Amino acid sequence: MAILLTGGTGKTSTRIARLLQDANIPFLLASRNAETGAPSGMPASKFDWLDSSTFENPFHYEFPNGERISAVYLIAPAVTDPVPALNALIDLAVSKGVKRFVLLAGSSTEPGGHHVGQIWQRFIDAGLEFCVLRPTWFMENFSEWQHLATIKDEGKIYTACGDGKIPFISAMDIAAVAFHALTDGKPHNTDHRVLGPELLTHDEIAAKLSSGLGREIVHVKLSEEESAQRYLKLGLPDQFANFMSYLEAAAARGDEERSDNAVERISGRPPLKFDEWVQQNKKAWQ
C-alpha cells in the first residue's frame, strides 16, 4: 500500500501525510514544486494539474519495498472546470492498478451535480472504491488564509455571512477522516459530511478569538458584493471571488446550519472545538 496525495502542499494533504508517516504507511505528495515545497522529510513528486505531462511522474516514484500506489487523494485544481483534469488522472491511475479514490469536495456537492459532483458520479458508475468528503468551512481560514492578515493587522474579520451558523471544522479532523477513507481495509463507498461540533456565527467566532488572543476581534458584516470585491483583492479570479461571496451569503441564509458525527464515528475521537483549536494555533496571529 502507498498513498498519492494531490494538493501536496495544501491544508489537508500535509496533515494526512503526517498521519500516514506516523502509521508507517508509504505516501507521496504531488505538487507543482515537488520536494522544494513539501514539508521537510516528506517525499514529493512534481505534479501540475494544468500540465498532463506531469501526471505520470508519481507512478515512476520508487517506494520502499517496491510498494505501488493503491489509493489517491484528490483535490480539484482551482480552474473553472476541473473535471477533465481529474478524469485524466483517474484514467491513468486506474490503468496503473489504483483501486481507491478519496475526493475532497464541498458541503453542497451532490453526485452528478456541478463541479466535482460529476467525479463522484463517475466513481459510482465505474464501480470504483471511493469516498467523498464534504467538509464545512475550515477553521484554518482564520489562521492560514483570507482572515489571517485582517485579524493580525486590524483585529477584524470581514464576511457576508451575517448571523449564519456554521459547524467550523479543523483541517486535522478532515485529515483524520481522509486517513481512514484511504487506508481502511473495507472501502467506505459513500460520502461523509465532515463537520465541527459547534454551530457558530462569525460574531461568536470573533468573541472566541478575542478571548483566546487577549485582544478585541470584531466581525464586520458585508454585503455579498462587498465580499466579492475583497476576494478579488486577495487575487482570486472573478468566478471564484463571486463563488466565495455566494457561499458566504448562503451561510447567512442558514445553508450551513447542520450537524453530523462523522469525525468521531470514523476516527474514534471527537472533533476539535474552536476554543481548543485557537489555543493550539495562537502563534499564527502573533
Side-chain angles (χ1 to χ4, degrees):
M1 174 191 292
I3 312 296
L4 177 62
L5 303 168
T6 66
T9 58
K11 295 182 182 69
T12 57
S13 291
T14 54
R15 289 169 170 87
I16 297 169
R18 293 188 192 108
L19 295 175
L20 293 168
Q21 203 168 46
D22 291 344
N24 293 315
I25 297 173
F27 66 90
L28 184 65
L29 296 171
S31 74
R32 286 191 299 260
N33 297 320
E35 290 187 341
T36 60
S40 178
M42 289 189 177
S45 177
K46 182 174 178 57
F47 178 89
D48 186 345
W49 281 114
L50 305 182
D51 181 1
S52 61
S53 70
T54 66
F55 288 12
E56 283 273 358
N57 291 345
F59 298 97
H60 294 307
Y61 182 81
E62 295 185 4
F63 290 95
N65 302 317
E67 297 279 5
R68 299 176 67 85
I69 295 170
S70 58
V72 178
Y73 180 62
L74 296 168
I75 295 183
V79 296
T80 302
D81 182 9
V83 171
L86 284 162
N87 274 329
L89 179 61
I90 292 168
D91 286 343
L92 176 62
V94 169
S95 76
K96 301 291 187 180
V98 174
K99 303 295 185 183
R100 184 175 300 186
F101 298 89
V102 175
L103 173 68
L104 182 68
S107 59
S108 63
T109 304
E110 296 291 344
H114 72 287
H115 209 248
V116 296
Q118 297 175 48
I119 301 301
W120 183 353
Q121 188 63 51
R122 176 183 175 169
F123 295 152
I124 296 170
D125 294 344
L128 296 169
E129 295 182 5
F130 79 95
C131 182
V132 176
L133 305 181
R134 294 198 289 166
T136 186
W137 295 22
F138 289 33
M139 293 180 183
E140 284 72 17
N141 289 352
F142 300 100
S143 63
E144 298 180 21
W145 192 41
Q146 75 264 48
H147 302 305
L148 173 60
T150 59
I151 291 171
K152 287 179 68 174
D153 301 339
E154 304 175 43
K156 294 179 180 178
I157 301 167
Y158 296 87
T159 82
C161 293
D163 296 319
K165 292 181 176 292
I166 298 170
F168 289 94
I169 185 75
S170 75
M172 195 65 237
D173 287 325
I174 299 169
V177 176
F179 170 84
H180 282 278
L182 288 161
T183 64
D184 283 352
K186 183 179 179 180
H188 292 201
N189 289 344
T190 189
D191 65 294
H192 298 307
R193 284 196 183 276
V194 189
L195 311 178
E198 307 165 285
L199 284 166
L200 300 171
T201 68
H202 276 79
D203 285 353
E204 290 170 325
I205 289 290
K208 288 179 175 294
L209 284 168
S210 298
S211 176
L213 302 181
R215 58 188 178 90
E216 186 181 25
I217 309 297
V218 298
H219 173 219
V220 180
K221 296 176 181 177
L222 305 175
S223 69
E224 185 174 346
E225 175 58 30
E226 288 170 334
S227 178
Q229 291 302 314
R230 289 193 66 84
Y231 281 113
L232 287 172
K233 290 179 181 178
L234 284 174
L236 269 66
D238 286 1
Q239 179 180 358
F240 288 99
N242 291 330
F243 180 63
M244 290 301 299
S245 61
Y246 164 79
L247 291 178
E248 291 185 353
R253 296 191 295 269
D255 286 11
E256 291 293 333
E257 192 169 338
R258 55 172 68 96
S259 61
D260 195 284
N261 68 345
V263 174
E264 186 164 11
R265 176 166 46 84
I266 295 164
S267 74
R269 59 166 179 76
L272 280 174
K273 291 187 174 182
F274 194 82
D275 287 330
E276 183 181 2
W277 177 82
V278 170
Q279 292 306 310
Q280 292 182 6
N281 292 275
K282 288 176 74 169
K283 288 184 179 179
W285 302 283
Q286 292 177 354

